[in-house]
């Protein structure tokens, strides 16, 4: 297991570095100049613009800019915003709590609704509960998050006035954006959990457990559900990353503070240090989640532990 964890960590570091290089190159190749967002180019003397470009280092070739960026990164310096002259790391830290709050609540809604409806749908196959669960799953998958967010905004904020239309202060401003992301995530989970439960329920060991006299509740929730969750764990890990990515749209639609809205503003103004810092943070979150998902397989599925033990002992279990 130690060898497996070390291998996962090394591959995760390669993913983080590769994503940072890719985003840096893309931002470098995009048309436009960050100086255009800082000064009035038409009214500023060319020598002043050239001096600003030199101070910011954007006049250097791409390989040199990339080397400077990673040199600072190794010292724990994510750079300074080109527009506000603020250090990027404190800027991200200040905007992080609202984003994490939104992503965490959205994921909790997705897990509660998705797992519950998926299990009930499989147990009551072809019944009314199954049809409702499948409809919720289809609706969650089919509707884009910006469209469902605007729809909830029009109904519950504009028409009914139950929730504020914008802001990031208190649970009432959190309800609609988290519900939007959560129901979309629940749509994916319902289908995965339902199909996995139906597959597990047809296994011979389930018939054997029923023949031994175990109650249906014990068979379903103690044995079948645990094995059915194995493929769902991968989806949950991906959903956690999707919730973080979905905050970019939700924070824009509902005018919330957070790193999602910050990176959208930074991309429009070509504020490269801020974009790089947020992408680096997001990449680290993604790889940590994927690492936890990989390790959780060994806890849930004994066959994974057996496979690692077999590999460590050269193909024989001692």
């Amino acid at each position: 297991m130690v060898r497996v964890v070390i291998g996962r960590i090394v591959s995760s570091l390669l993913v983080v570095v590769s994503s940072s290089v890719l985003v840096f190159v893309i931002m470098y190749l995009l048309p436009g100049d960050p100086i255009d967002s800082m000064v009035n180019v038409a009214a500023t003397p060319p020598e002043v613009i050239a001096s600003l470009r030199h101070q910011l280092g954007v006049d250097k070739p791409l390989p040199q800019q990339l080397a400077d960026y990673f040199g600072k990164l190794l010292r724990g310096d994510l750079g300074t915003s080109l527009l506000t002259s603020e250090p990027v790391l404190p800027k991200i830290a200040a905007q992080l709590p609202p984003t994490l709050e939104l992503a965490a609540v959205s994921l909790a809604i997705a897990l509660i609704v998705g797992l519950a409806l998926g299990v009930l749908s499989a147990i009551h196959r072809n019944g009314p509960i199954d049809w409702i669960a499948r409809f919720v799953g289809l609706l969650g998958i089919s509707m884009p998050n910006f469209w469902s967010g605007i729809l909830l905004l029009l109904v519950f904020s504009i028409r009914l006035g139950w929730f504020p239309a914008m802001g990031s202060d208190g649970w009432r401003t959190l309800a609609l954006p988290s519900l939007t992301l959560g129901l979309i995530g629940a749509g994916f989970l319902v289908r995965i959990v339902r199909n996995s439960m139906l597959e597990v329920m047809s296994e011979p060991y389930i018939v054997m457990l029923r023949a031994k006299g175990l109650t249906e509740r014990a068979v379903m929730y103690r044995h079948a559900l645990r094995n059915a969750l194995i493929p769902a764990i991968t989806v949950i890990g991906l959903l956690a990353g999707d919730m973080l990515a979905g905050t970019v749209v939700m924070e824009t639609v509902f005018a919330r503070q957070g790193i999602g809205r910050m990176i959208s503003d930074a991309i429009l103004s070509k504020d490269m240090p801020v974009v790089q810092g947020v992408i680096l943070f997001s990449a680290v979150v993604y790889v940590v989640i994927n690492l936890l998902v990989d390790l959780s397989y060994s806890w849930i599925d004994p066959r994974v532990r057996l496979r690692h033990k077999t590999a460590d002992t050269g193909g024989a279990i001692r």
Side-chain angles (χ1 to χ4, degrees), residues 105-266:
V105 175
S106 301
L107 183 60
I109 292 174
L111 290 177
I112 294 172
V113 176
L115 292 178
L117 287 182
V119 172
L120 291 175
S121 176
I123 294 176
H124 303 280
R125 185 179 184 181
N126 295 328
I129 296 178
D130 184 23
W131 286 104
I132 293 174
R134 292 164 67 181
F135 175 76
V136 171
L138 182 62
L139 195 66
I141 293 175
S142 304
M143 295 184 66
N145 55 6
F146 68 88
W147 169 250
S148 54
I150 293 174
L151 189 63
L152 291 178
L153 188 65
L154 289 174
V155 174
F156 294 102
S157 289
I158 307 301
R159 183 63 66 103
L160 299 177
W162 290 357
F163 300 99
M166 59 185 64
S168 53
D169 183 21
W171 70 269
R172 297 182 74 248
T173 60
L174 183 65
L176 292 183
S178 60
L179 187 63
T180 302
L181 288 178
L183 290 180
I184 292 173
F188 287 94
L189 269 181
V190 166
R191 297 172 67 90
I192 295 295
V193 174
R194 178 184 184 274
N195 293 338
S196 184
M197 279 288 292
L198 290 175
E199 183 178 350
V200 170
M201 287 165 61
S202 63
E203 293 289 333
Y205 76 91
I206 295 294
V207 178
M208 183 194 68
L209 291 172
R210 286 170 173 158
K212 290 176 63 177
L214 268 71
T215 63
E216 191 67 17
R217 179 181 295 273
V219 172
M220 289 293 104
Y221 296 103
R222 188 182 303 170
H223 298 279
L225 180 58
R226 181 169 182 176
N227 289 325
L229 283 179
I230 294 173
I233 288 176
T234 302
V235 179
I236 293 172
L238 294 175
L239 280 179
D242 288 343
M243 296 302 168
L244 190 63
T247 58
V248 177
V249 178
M250 292 298 99
E251 288 172 358
T252 302
V253 171
F254 292 93
R256 289 179 56 86
Q257 296 297 317
I259 60 174
R261 189 176 178 185
M262 183 175 70
I263 193 175
S264 63
D265 295 339

Side-chain angles (χ1 to χ4, degrees), residues 12-166:
S12 299
L13 290 175
L14 291 176
V15 170
V16 171
V17 173
S18 301
S19 62
S20 298
V21 172
L22 181 61
V23 173
F24 198 99
V25 173
I26 291 174
M27 291 296 297
Y28 180 85
L29 297 176
L30 283 178
D33 195 317
I35 303 298
D36 297 341
S37 304
M38 301 175 62
V39 298
N40 186 353
V41 178
T44 305
E47 58 271 15
V48 175
I49 294 178
S51 176
L52 279 174
R53 291 177 57 83
H54 181 71
Q55 291 176 14
L56 297 175
V58 296
D59 59 340
K60 299 178 181 178
L62 175 60
Q64 190 173 352
Q65 290 189 38
L66 198 57
D68 292 343
Y69 171 74
F70 279 101
K72 292 180 180 179
L73 191 62
L74 291 175
R75 299 193 300 269
D77 182 9
L78 296 183
T80 304
S81 171
L82 300 181
L83 298 182
T84 63
S85 299
E86 300 177 58
V88 173
L89 188 57
K91 191 178 178 71
I92 294 176
Q95 298 293 330
L96 186 58
T99 298
L100 290 182
E101 182 183 46
L102 175 58
V105 175
S106 301
L107 183 60
I109 292 174
L111 290 177
I112 294 172
V113 176
L115 292 178
L117 287 182
V119 172
L120 291 175
S121 176
I123 294 176
H124 303 280
R125 185 179 184 181
N126 295 328
I129 296 178
D130 184 23
W131 286 104
I132 293 174
R134 292 164 67 181
F135 175 76
V136 171
L138 182 62
L139 195 66
I141 293 175
S142 304
M143 295 184 66
N145 55 6
F146 68 88
W147 169 250
S148 54
I150 293 174
L151 189 63
L152 291 178
L153 188 65
L154 289 174
V155 174
F156 294 102
S157 289
I158 307 301
R159 183 63 66 103
L160 299 177
W162 290 357
F163 300 99
M166 59 185 64

